[in-house]
Amino acid sequence: MSLLSIRDLHATVGGNEILKGINLEIGPGEIHAVMGPNGSGKSTLSYVLAGREGYEVTRGTIAFKGKDLIDLAADERANEGVFLAFQYPVEVPGVVGMTFLREAYNAKLRYLGKQEIDAMEFLKFVRSRAKTLNMSDDMLKRAVNVGFSGGEKKRNEILQMAVLEPDLAILDETDSGLDIDALKLVSDGVNELRSENHSMLIITHYQRLLNYIQPDHVHVLAHGKIQRSGGKELALELEAKGYAEFSEEAA
Amino acid sequence: MALQPVAKLPFEGLIADARSHKLGKWHSKLSERALEQYAEIGWPGPKTESWKYTSLNKIASGTFSLAGEYSAIVPEDMIMPLTCPRVVLVNGVLNKELSNLEHLIGNLSITSLVDIEDHQKTFFDDLFKSEESKGDLPLTHLNTAILSDAVMLEITEGSKCELPLHIISIGSGNGITFAPRLIVNVGIGAKVDFIESHVGCSDSAYFSNSVTQLYLGDNSEVGHYKLQNDSRESSHISLTRAVIDDGASYDNFTMSVGAKLSRNEVRAHLKGSGVECCINGAYLGAADQHIDNTTFIEHQAEGSSSREVFKGVLDDTARGVFQGKILVHPEAQKTDGYQMNRAMLLSDKAEIDSKPELEIYADDVRCSHGATVGELEDELIFYLCARGIDRESARRMLIGAYISDAIDEVKNIDIRSSIQIVAENWLKQNLYEK
Amino acid sequence: MSISEETVDQVKKLEADKYKYGFVTDIEMETAPKGLNEDIIRFISEKKEEPQWMLEWRLKAYKHWLTMEEPNWAKVGYKKIDYQDLYYYAAPKSMDRPKSLDEVDPELLKTYEKLGIPLKEQELLSGVVAVDAVFDSVSVATTYKAKLTEMGVIFCSISEAVREYPELVKKYLGSVVPHSDNYFSALNCAVFTDGSFVYVPKGLRCPMELSTYFRINAENTGQFERTMIIADEGSYVSYLEGCTAPQRDENQLHAAVVELVALTNAEIKYSTVQNWYPGDETGAGGIYNFVTKRGACRGDNSKISWTQVETGSAVTWKYPSCILQGDNSIGEFYSVAITNNAQQADTGTKMIHLGKNTKSTIISKGISAGRADNTYRGLVKIMPKAEGARNFTQCDSLLIGNTCGAHTVPYIETRNPTARVEHEATTSKISEDQMFYCQQRGLSPEEAVSLIVNGFCKEVMKELPMEFAVEAQKLIGISLEGSVG
């Protein structure tokens, strides 16, 4: 059975239809890449999946672990196991990273009807996760994303992902604004988390992230629809030919 | 807020005189209405919040008569140093001989209340009426009640005035009071810069109660710059009120150096959205001067921005007052408001009182204000001295730079330079002589 | 600060004659008729067995109060108070006490639970355990009061202090907030019923946080409370007031006075969590909290620090202030004020710099939601002799929703050229991005608001003593419930 099953998904933002019938199946442990030109609806897809207000589904279904996601609020979806690594992670002044992450972790435990974790135990857990990712947990001593460099923000997202252990992680343009060293660090982290329990949806404009994270499937999104699907070789083809084939005229 | 009326209403006696004075019967009705409102509100007393830091007792207890003389010599060294067309008012009345209006372009018209035809009177009546019932401004009503003239500038729709216009208000005579009144009506998409220079003849001690009303049509662009350099024994109380429509831009700057007691009150009502409004100023006070800058910016519609930068330097026993209020209505989402007042005290006996105020009813806004007071840092002076500059020059240079920060806000480059000259002259006169 | 089960049981067992070890003298529950006149004041004074000078002081204050007018400059509106329609001494209280927690308003219990208040304490708070039986839960303090006495700390009710330490009281009472100071403080001087008195001797660093209250306020002492803290040379004391649990009171008007005196090298830290009943959603029935709090840094190098978390009351009118007389003295004001629904708060501080090199810091965080109005009003005054004085003020407002208001009204008066005064204020909102980000990490909208607001208030929250901090954090979330979504 698919972990995520998207059928004929149509969505509007501010009255404009951006997604015009998306079909996508993601199985457990699979890594899918959605590529596409600017304005194709890539980020919209990630927001629609995460349940951002103002992104209205007008038709179609999103089933996650067999459950309909559409009527769930953003926090409920998160607690079901959908994680969005933001393209532009948000600053939350005054809220220390560790506190933020513990609140999030406990919210999930509560949602699942489990006992909350105490602060010391959580600290140990986070340290161990950070270690596997070869990251320092220093970032978590500062207010969430406040004064972080672009690279730090993205790494912070990956660390949060590692701690919250989602069933499905959506990486929205995680490679944007990263230099090559940061890109490698982030990719290593993602690869570290790769397992049959963790599926990923990587949203990207460029192919270069896929040099580091090998996808099982690649999809081309343009004009609100998936135009083509294939294996990782499709990404290389796009790198060579660009998106011209999927321009307005070609469609 | 209820004002505390004082038993005696200052200038009440003069108002009746004013009616038969210059404008004739038409003005009488206007004056009567204004008197009623003025009497109802009363003279601002010590308990009036908006006059908390500026006492008008000396004016109220003084003996003043109405000006009767409307000619004078323009004190060239006191006005803003700038070559451009002039409109000269002496004791509040337009003096055509002193004015030079030849260079004005056709779409800018200047009307004196003294000259208006009967059919224009309704228009002015309405105009004055629109300023009524402004409860907290008794001195505006007093201005209307004792008017001897009013000058209206009109810039027709879409016209761009290349040269700025210089309005010079001269006070002449001891123990007199007068009420300059300026009305500026800027048509849709029009562009104009104008300057007000308020100056006095030699050492006249007078009370100038000045009012300027502006109406900015959609997408108009107005630069409004003022030099307050009244005689050192005089009192200058002024109100500028600007009503600003969609997409217009208003750049206001006031340089206050003159008068013994002065108040520069600017009230901007941002009626439209997408308005850009700047209310800036600098004040330089010495001896026993009292300089008050009071601003009120009202954001009524969405997406407008306002910016205020004031800087002051106060020496001897001078006292500075800055009161700035930003009001954001619930409808005025996406407002961006910034306000800053900085003051430097140069003497043990100088004083600055500051009241920056925010009143906000919309949640999607960015508003901030700041106020700082500090002295010249010894380390900075030392740094300059270490480069071979003598202490006095170093001090003057640094104070000059301090004030320049505010003057740099002026958008019109020529006028900015003129204001800079005024500041430098003040520094030379006041900081070298000690 | 939490009360252990033991102490609660212990208190339950207390017999009337043991109250004398507590803070409050053995008062018979007599009521005086409604209204205010000299006879009522004589009655209060007599009941408290006060000396003649105390009665005279009260009467002087009363006479002055009669000449004063209720202030109207604050940005608050409320129904006119009929001062003749109030009880000034021992108002009758309801005899129907809930027999068990099952009979208590479930809403109240829910809040207790959210705050993590132990069951035993819940019983105390909700009145299942008679407050008379505890009669001033403060008697719990008996145990550590002995320890304090040993160290020379005087910590007792102000009535007791008037009798036992008249010289100290005479010397300091009204020396910081004179009877003529303002309308509400004058009223308090005339009719104050009780409160606490603290004297910390020279050189002593008081090792424990002092608190009169634990959680329960004795009925009738809360309304016109009077607190006086004197820190003698080189001493230190930290004092906690109020509690995080919602407090209900029959008396709508509260007009307390707090006076602090710090002598040379002394330091007083005064922390408040105020959570009086805010009234229902329309604001009906809430408490009017009109408090005068002022501290005098009399000696050189002294320090007074106010920290407050104000979430309750229908109307709050409160300006904890510092008079910085001693050279190098320091005044601090850290404030969080939250208003929701129909609440109104007009709060801030006054920092009066008189001495050389005096320093003050003001950090104010105002949060407004619902239809509430939240005003910061503050004065920083640098007098001519305050050479080298420094002030830093930061006032931040956060608006939640579009029907509330946030206002900042600072007065800054500087009369010394060497002073450096900095004031900054900002107004912002919780951005939609922040909400989505938190929700995407699994937090509910309420949790997200609570977290973001706590982050916004962080600079103030970290000033709170540990005992208060955790609960105060929860309280912030609770008081903003229903403000989003």
Side-chain angles (χ1 to χ4, degrees), chain A residues 52 74-75 78-79 82-84 86 90-91 93-95 100 103-104 107 110 145 157 160, chain C residues 431-434 436-445 447 451-456 458:
Chain A
R52 181 163 198 158
D75 49 314
N79 290 324
V82 177
F83 179 93
L84 172 63
F86 284 59
V90 180
E91 297 186 2
V95 177
F100 177 75
E103 289 289 327
R110 281 196 300 275
N145 294 324
E157 293 291 286
Q160 289 183 22
Chain C
S431 74
E432 196 247 332
D433 279 347
Q434 285 176 330
F436 177 59
Y437 190 68
C438 293
Q439 275 187 271
Q440 211 301 306
R441 294 298 177 261
L443 302 177
S444 68
E447 289 164 341
L451 192 73
I452 293 165
V453 173
N454 267 298
F456 174 76
K458 194 183 165 212

Short mmCIF file of all heavy atoms in Angstrom, two decimals, chain A residues 52 74-75 78-79 82-84 86 90-91 93-95 100 103-104 107 110 145 157 160, chain C residues 431-434 436-445 447 451-456 458:
data_model
loop_
_atom_site.label_atom_id
_atom_site.label_comp_id
_atom_site.label_asym_id
_atom_site.label_seq_id
_atom_site.Cartn_x
_atom_site.Cartn_y
_atom_site.Cartn_z
N ARG A 52 -1.36 24.33 4.76
CA ARG A 52 -1.28 25.74 5.05
C ARG A 52 -2.59 26.44 4.73
O ARG A 52 -3.21 26.16 3.70
CB ARG A 52 -0.15 26.38 4.24
CG ARG A 52 0.01 27.85 4.52
CD ARG A 52 1.32 28.42 4.07
NE ARG A 52 1.51 29.68 4.75
CZ ARG A 52 2.67 30.26 4.93
NH1 ARG A 52 3.77 29.67 4.51
NH2 ARG A 52 2.76 31.41 5.55
N ALA A 74 -3.06 21.72 10.10
CA ALA A 74 -1.62 21.57 9.86
C ALA A 74 -0.95 20.79 10.98
O ALA A 74 -0.10 19.93 10.74
CB ALA A 74 -0.98 22.94 9.71
N ASP A 75 -1.31 21.10 12.25
CA ASP A 75 -0.64 20.43 13.37
C ASP A 75 -1.02 18.95 13.43
O ASP A 75 -0.20 18.10 13.78
CB ASP A 75 -0.91 21.13 14.69
CG ASP A 75 -2.38 21.43 14.92
OD1 ASP A 75 -3.04 21.92 13.99
OD2 ASP A 75 -2.88 21.19 16.04
N ALA A 78 1.05 17.17 10.90
CA ALA A 78 2.42 17.02 11.39
C ALA A 78 2.48 15.84 12.35
O ALA A 78 3.40 15.02 12.28
CB ALA A 78 2.87 18.30 12.08
N ASN A 79 1.50 15.77 13.23
CA ASN A 79 1.52 14.70 14.21
C ASN A 79 1.20 13.33 13.62
O ASN A 79 1.57 12.30 14.16
CB ASN A 79 0.57 15.03 15.37
CG ASN A 79 1.11 16.17 16.21
OD1 ASN A 79 2.33 16.27 16.41
ND2 ASN A 79 0.23 17.04 16.70
N VAL A 82 3.71 13.97 8.83
CA VAL A 82 4.13 14.74 7.65
C VAL A 82 5.03 15.88 8.13
O VAL A 82 4.65 16.67 8.98
CB VAL A 82 2.91 15.32 6.91
CG1 VAL A 82 3.37 16.19 5.73
CG2 VAL A 82 1.97 14.22 6.44
N PHE A 83 6.22 15.92 7.60
CA PHE A 83 7.16 16.97 8.00
C PHE A 83 7.53 17.79 6.77
O PHE A 83 7.87 17.25 5.73
CB PHE A 83 8.43 16.34 8.59
CG PHE A 83 9.47 17.34 9.00
CD1 PHE A 83 9.51 17.82 10.31
CD2 PHE A 83 10.41 17.82 8.10
CE1 PHE A 83 10.47 18.75 10.70
CE2 PHE A 83 11.37 18.76 8.48
CZ PHE A 83 11.39 19.22 9.79
N LEU A 84 7.46 19.12 6.92
CA LEU A 84 7.86 19.99 5.82
C LEU A 84 9.15 20.72 6.21
O LEU A 84 9.17 21.46 7.20
CB LEU A 84 6.75 21.00 5.50
CG LEU A 84 7.08 22.11 4.49
CD1 LEU A 84 7.40 21.53 3.12
CD2 LEU A 84 5.93 23.10 4.38
N PHE A 86 11.13 23.69 5.40
CA PHE A 86 10.74 24.92 4.71
C PHE A 86 11.82 25.45 3.78
O PHE A 86 13.01 25.37 4.09
CB PHE A 86 10.40 26.01 5.72
CG PHE A 86 9.06 25.85 6.39
CD1 PHE A 86 8.77 24.70 7.13
CD2 PHE A 86 8.09 26.84 6.31
CE1 PHE A 86 7.54 24.55 7.75
CE2 PHE A 86 6.86 26.70 6.93
CZ PHE A 86 6.59 25.56 7.65
N VAL A 90 11.26 29.89 9.32
CA VAL A 90 10.73 31.11 9.93
C VAL A 90 11.43 31.39 11.27
O VAL A 90 11.72 30.49 12.03
CB VAL A 90 9.21 30.94 10.17
CG1 VAL A 90 8.61 32.17 10.81
CG2 VAL A 90 8.51 30.62 8.85
N GLU A 91 11.67 32.66 11.53
CA GLU A 91 12.27 33.04 12.81
C GLU A 91 11.20 33.09 13.90
O GLU A 91 10.12 33.60 13.69
CB GLU A 91 12.92 34.42 12.70
CG GLU A 91 14.07 34.45 11.72
CD GLU A 91 14.81 35.79 11.72
OE1 GLU A 91 14.46 36.67 12.52
OE2 GLU A 91 15.75 35.91 10.92
N PRO A 93 11.34 34.55 17.48
CA PRO A 93 12.19 35.24 18.46
C PRO A 93 11.90 34.80 19.90
O PRO A 93 10.74 34.60 20.27
CB PRO A 93 11.83 36.72 18.27
CG PRO A 93 11.19 36.81 16.94
CD PRO A 93 10.54 35.49 16.69
N GLY A 94 12.95 34.66 20.65
CA GLY A 94 12.82 34.37 22.08
C GLY A 94 12.58 32.91 22.40
O GLY A 94 12.71 32.51 23.56
N VAL A 95 12.20 32.12 21.41
CA VAL A 95 11.92 30.70 21.69
C VAL A 95 13.18 29.88 21.38
O VAL A 95 13.61 29.80 20.23
CB VAL A 95 10.73 30.19 20.86
CG1 VAL A 95 10.50 28.71 21.11
CG2 VAL A 95 9.48 30.98 21.19
N PHE A 100 11.54 24.58 21.64
CA PHE A 100 10.65 24.47 20.48
C PHE A 100 10.52 23.01 20.05
O PHE A 100 9.43 22.48 19.85
CB PHE A 100 11.22 25.32 19.35
CG PHE A 100 10.46 25.25 18.06
CD1 PHE A 100 9.25 25.90 17.92
CD2 PHE A 100 10.96 24.54 16.97
CE1 PHE A 100 8.54 25.84 16.72
CE2 PHE A 100 10.26 24.48 15.77
CZ PHE A 100 9.05 25.13 15.65
N GLU A 103 8.70 20.87 22.63
CA GLU A 103 7.25 21.11 22.55
C GLU A 103 6.66 20.32 21.38
O GLU A 103 5.61 19.71 21.50
CB GLU A 103 6.95 22.60 22.35
CG GLU A 103 7.21 23.48 23.57
CD GLU A 103 6.20 23.25 24.68
OE1 GLU A 103 5.03 22.96 24.36
OE2 GLU A 103 6.59 23.35 25.87
N ALA A 104 7.36 20.36 20.25
CA ALA A 104 6.87 19.68 19.06
C ALA A 104 6.86 18.16 19.30
O ALA A 104 5.90 17.47 18.95
CB ALA A 104 7.74 20.04 17.86
N ALA A 107 4.14 17.26 21.66
CA ALA A 107 2.82 17.40 21.01
C ALA A 107 2.49 16.11 20.27
O ALA A 107 1.36 15.62 20.30
CB ALA A 107 2.83 18.59 20.06
N ARG A 110 1.72 13.35 22.76
CA ARG A 110 0.36 13.52 23.29
C ARG A 110 -0.67 13.08 22.25
O ARG A 110 -1.65 12.42 22.57
CB ARG A 110 0.10 15.00 23.64
CG ARG A 110 0.69 15.44 24.95
CD ARG A 110 0.05 16.77 25.40
NE ARG A 110 0.25 17.86 24.46
CZ ARG A 110 1.37 18.63 24.44
NH1 ARG A 110 2.34 18.40 25.29
NH2 ARG A 110 1.48 19.60 23.58
N ASN A 145 15.97 29.88 14.47
CA ASN A 145 16.30 30.55 13.20
C ASN A 145 16.68 32.03 13.31
O ASN A 145 16.97 32.66 12.30
CB ASN A 145 15.15 30.42 12.18
CG ASN A 145 14.93 28.98 11.76
OD1 ASN A 145 15.89 28.22 11.63
ND2 ASN A 145 13.68 28.59 11.58
N GLU A 157 16.61 22.67 9.94
CA GLU A 157 15.42 21.95 9.48
C GLU A 157 15.68 20.44 9.46
O GLU A 157 14.83 19.65 9.86
CB GLU A 157 15.03 22.42 8.06
CG GLU A 157 14.54 23.86 7.98
CD GLU A 157 13.20 24.08 8.63
OE1 GLU A 157 12.17 23.66 8.07
OE2 GLU A 157 13.19 24.64 9.74
N GLN A 160 15.75 19.06 12.95
CA GLN A 160 14.37 18.90 13.45
C GLN A 160 13.73 17.65 12.87
O GLN A 160 13.06 16.89 13.56
CB GLN A 160 13.53 20.13 13.08
CG GLN A 160 13.90 21.37 13.86
CD GLN A 160 12.98 22.54 13.52
OE1 GLN A 160 11.87 22.34 13.06
NE2 GLN A 160 13.45 23.75 13.76
N SER C 431 3.04 36.49 13.17
CA SER C 431 2.86 36.38 11.72
C SER C 431 2.24 35.03 11.37
O SER C 431 2.37 34.06 12.11
CB SER C 431 4.20 36.54 11.00
OG SER C 431 4.98 35.38 11.15
N GLU C 432 1.60 35.03 10.24
CA GLU C 432 0.95 33.82 9.76
C GLU C 432 2.02 32.76 9.49
O GLU C 432 1.83 31.57 9.74
CB GLU C 432 0.16 34.16 8.49
CG GLU C 432 -0.85 33.14 8.09
CD GLU C 432 -0.46 32.46 6.79
OE1 GLU C 432 0.24 33.09 5.98
OE2 GLU C 432 -0.84 31.30 6.62
N ASP C 433 3.21 33.20 9.03
CA ASP C 433 4.34 32.30 8.81
C ASP C 433 4.75 31.58 10.08
O ASP C 433 4.99 30.38 10.08
CB ASP C 433 5.57 33.09 8.31
CG ASP C 433 5.49 33.41 6.83
OD1 ASP C 433 4.63 32.80 6.16
OD2 ASP C 433 6.27 34.25 6.37
N GLN C 434 4.84 32.34 11.17
CA GLN C 434 5.23 31.74 12.45
C GLN C 434 4.21 30.70 12.90
O GLN C 434 4.57 29.62 13.36
CB GLN C 434 5.36 32.82 13.53
CG GLN C 434 6.62 33.65 13.40
CD GLN C 434 6.64 34.76 14.43
OE1 GLN C 434 5.60 35.27 14.85
NE2 GLN C 434 7.84 35.15 14.84
N PHE C 436 2.14 28.95 11.04
CA PHE C 436 2.18 27.77 10.19
C PHE C 436 3.41 26.92 10.50
O PHE C 436 3.34 25.70 10.57
CB PHE C 436 2.15 28.17 8.71
CG PHE C 436 2.27 27.00 7.76
CD1 PHE C 436 1.33 25.98 7.80
CD2 PHE C 436 3.31 26.94 6.86
CE1 PHE C 436 1.44 24.89 6.94
CE2 PHE C 436 3.43 25.84 6.00
CZ PHE C 436 2.50 24.82 6.04
N TYR C 437 4.53 27.60 10.71
CA TYR C 437 5.78 26.88 11.01
C TYR C 437 5.61 26.04 12.27
O TYR C 437 5.96 24.86 12.31
CB TYR C 437 6.91 27.90 11.18
CG TYR C 437 8.29 27.30 11.27
CD1 TYR C 437 8.87 26.67 10.16
CD2 TYR C 437 9.04 27.38 12.44
CE1 TYR C 437 10.14 26.14 10.23
CE2 TYR C 437 10.32 26.84 12.51
CZ TYR C 437 10.87 26.22 11.40
OH TYR C 437 12.13 25.69 11.47
N CYS C 438 5.05 26.66 13.32
CA CYS C 438 4.86 25.93 14.58
C CYS C 438 3.86 24.80 14.40
O CYS C 438 4.05 23.70 14.92
CB CYS C 438 4.38 26.87 15.68
SG CYS C 438 5.62 28.07 16.15
N GLN C 439 2.79 25.08 13.68
CA GLN C 439 1.77 24.04 13.48
C GLN C 439 2.34 22.89 12.66
O GLN C 439 2.04 21.74 12.92
CB GLN C 439 0.54 24.63 12.80
CG GLN C 439 -0.43 25.26 13.79
CD GLN C 439 -1.70 25.66 13.08
OE1 GLN C 439 -1.80 26.76 12.59
NE2 GLN C 439 -2.67 24.75 13.00
N GLN C 440 3.19 23.22 11.69
CA GLN C 440 3.76 22.18 10.87
C GLN C 440 4.65 21.25 11.72
O GLN C 440 4.90 20.11 11.40
CB GLN C 440 4.57 22.77 9.71
CG GLN C 440 4.59 21.93 8.45
CD GLN C 440 5.15 20.55 8.66
OE1 GLN C 440 6.26 20.40 9.17
NE2 GLN C 440 4.39 19.51 8.28
N ARG C 441 5.13 21.80 12.83
CA ARG C 441 5.94 20.96 13.71
C ARG C 441 5.07 20.23 14.74
O ARG C 441 5.57 19.64 15.68
CB ARG C 441 7.00 21.81 14.42
CG ARG C 441 8.06 22.39 13.49
CD ARG C 441 8.87 21.32 12.79
NE ARG C 441 9.84 21.90 11.85
CZ ARG C 441 9.64 22.00 10.54
NH1 ARG C 441 8.51 21.57 10.00
NH2 ARG C 441 10.56 22.52 9.77
N GLY C 442 3.74 20.36 14.59
CA GLY C 442 2.84 19.56 15.42
C GLY C 442 2.17 20.30 16.55
O GLY C 442 1.41 19.71 17.32
N LEU C 443 2.43 21.61 16.68
CA LEU C 443 1.81 22.35 17.78
C LEU C 443 0.42 22.83 17.38
O LEU C 443 0.22 23.31 16.26
CB LEU C 443 2.66 23.56 18.16
CG LEU C 443 4.11 23.24 18.57
CD1 LEU C 443 4.88 24.52 18.85
CD2 LEU C 443 4.12 22.35 19.80
N SER C 444 -0.52 22.74 18.31
CA SER C 444 -1.86 23.24 18.03
C SER C 444 -1.80 24.76 18.00
O SER C 444 -0.85 25.35 18.52
CB SER C 444 -2.82 22.79 19.13
OG SER C 444 -2.48 23.45 20.33
N PRO C 445 -2.82 25.42 17.41
CA PRO C 445 -2.79 26.88 17.38
C PRO C 445 -2.59 27.50 18.77
O PRO C 445 -1.83 28.45 18.92
CB PRO C 445 -4.15 27.25 16.79
CG PRO C 445 -4.52 26.07 15.95
CD PRO C 445 -3.95 24.86 16.64
N GLU C 447 -1.13 26.14 21.40
CA GLU C 447 0.25 25.90 21.83
C GLU C 447 1.22 26.82 21.09
O GLU C 447 2.18 27.32 21.67
CB GLU C 447 0.64 24.44 21.58
CG GLU C 447 -0.06 23.46 22.52
CD GLU C 447 0.02 22.00 22.05
OE1 GLU C 447 0.28 21.75 20.86
OE2 GLU C 447 -0.20 21.13 22.89
N LEU C 451 3.63 29.52 22.82
CA LEU C 451 5.08 29.43 22.63
C LEU C 451 5.65 30.74 22.08
O LEU C 451 6.64 31.27 22.57
CB LEU C 451 5.39 28.28 21.67
CG LEU C 451 6.85 27.85 21.57
CD1 LEU C 451 7.24 27.09 22.83
CD2 LEU C 451 7.07 26.98 20.34
N ILE C 452 4.97 31.27 21.07
CA ILE C 452 5.45 32.50 20.44
C ILE C 452 5.39 33.66 21.43
O ILE C 452 6.32 34.46 21.53
CB ILE C 452 4.65 32.81 19.15
CG1 ILE C 452 4.93 31.74 18.09
CG2 ILE C 452 5.00 34.18 18.61
CD1 ILE C 452 3.95 31.72 16.93
N VAL C 453 4.30 33.73 22.19
CA VAL C 453 4.16 34.84 23.15
C VAL C 453 5.20 34.70 24.27
O VAL C 453 5.81 35.67 24.69
CB VAL C 453 2.73 34.92 23.72
CG1 VAL C 453 2.65 35.94 24.84
CG2 VAL C 453 1.75 35.28 22.61
N ASN C 454 5.42 33.46 24.71
CA ASN C 454 6.46 33.27 25.72
C ASN C 454 7.83 33.69 25.19
O ASN C 454 8.63 34.26 25.93
CB ASN C 454 6.50 31.82 26.20
CG ASN C 454 5.66 31.61 27.44
OD1 ASN C 454 5.94 32.21 28.48
ND2 ASN C 454 4.62 30.81 27.34
N GLY C 455 8.08 33.41 23.92
CA GLY C 455 9.33 33.85 23.32
C GLY C 455 9.42 35.36 23.31
O GLY C 455 10.44 35.95 23.64
N PHE C 456 8.30 35.98 22.98
CA PHE C 456 8.21 37.45 22.94
C PHE C 456 8.50 38.06 24.31
O PHE C 456 9.09 39.13 24.43
CB PHE C 456 6.80 37.80 22.44
CG PHE C 456 6.45 39.27 22.47
CD1 PHE C 456 6.96 40.12 21.51
CD2 PHE C 456 5.60 39.77 23.44
CE1 PHE C 456 6.62 41.46 21.53
CE2 PHE C 456 5.25 41.10 23.45
CZ PHE C 456 5.78 41.96 22.50
N LYS C 458 10.35 36.70 26.68
CA LYS C 458 11.45 35.99 27.32
C LYS C 458 12.31 36.87 28.24
O LYS C 458 12.66 36.47 29.36
CB LYS C 458 12.33 35.39 26.23
CG LYS C 458 13.29 34.37 26.77
CD LYS C 458 14.18 33.87 25.68
CE LYS C 458 15.35 33.14 26.30
NZ LYS C 458 16.54 33.30 25.48
#
